[in-house]
Amino acid sequence: MYIGLKIENDSCSTISYFKTTGFHSEGGIRLATRCVDALTENQLSSQSLGMTLPVLRRTKMPAILCSLAPPPIIVQSTAEISIALSDAIVSWIADPAAD
């Protein structure tokens, strides 16, 4: 899998997976959904979004890009975010087909 992380100056975190007209990455959407759920459980606002970003389009493995925001909250919540994303990844690896 590929997981990209970056901090954005937005008001909400976005977890992106590859999606284009008529196709989406099944593994990417399931991983993104688990990451959004894990962040939301930790009171960190986030949403998943299908996109055609080059980093998502050019990978053959499931890929997500975590655009985390707002910066002050992300910096203060680094430990919680890393645990939430780690738990989501472990859960996805254990059963990638589960919703």
Side-chain angles (χ1 to χ4, degrees):
M1 87 185 77
Y2 169 85
I3 299 175
L5 299 170
K6 66 180 184 173
I7 296 179
E8 294 286 343
N9 285 321
D10 295 327
S11 59
C12 179
S13 294
T14 302
I15 313 296
S16 303
Y17 59 92
F18 180 74
K19 181 179 180 180
T20 188
T21 304
F23 177 80
H24 68 267
S25 166
E26 192 65 35
I29 194 170
R30 291 175 188 266
L31 179 57
T33 300
R34 295 218 191 160
C35 290
V36 166
D37 291 347
L39 291 173
T40 302
E41 287 174 11
N42 286 281
Q43 286 72 46
L44 299 165
S45 178
S46 61
Q47 61 184 1
S48 63
L49 183 63
M51 300 186 78
T52 58
L53 298 170
V55 70
L56 302 174
R57 184 179 65 240
R58 292 181 182 153
T59 59
K60 295 189 186 288
M61 75 286 283
I64 61 172
L65 178 61
C66 303
S67 301
L68 304 172
I73 300 298
I74 300 309
V75 170
Q76 292 174 352
S77 304
T78 302
E80 292 85 355
I81 291 168
S82 62
I83 291 168
L85 291 177
S86 175
D87 290 347
I89 292 164
V90 168
S91 171
W92 181 81
I93 290 171
D95 190 2
D99 288 330

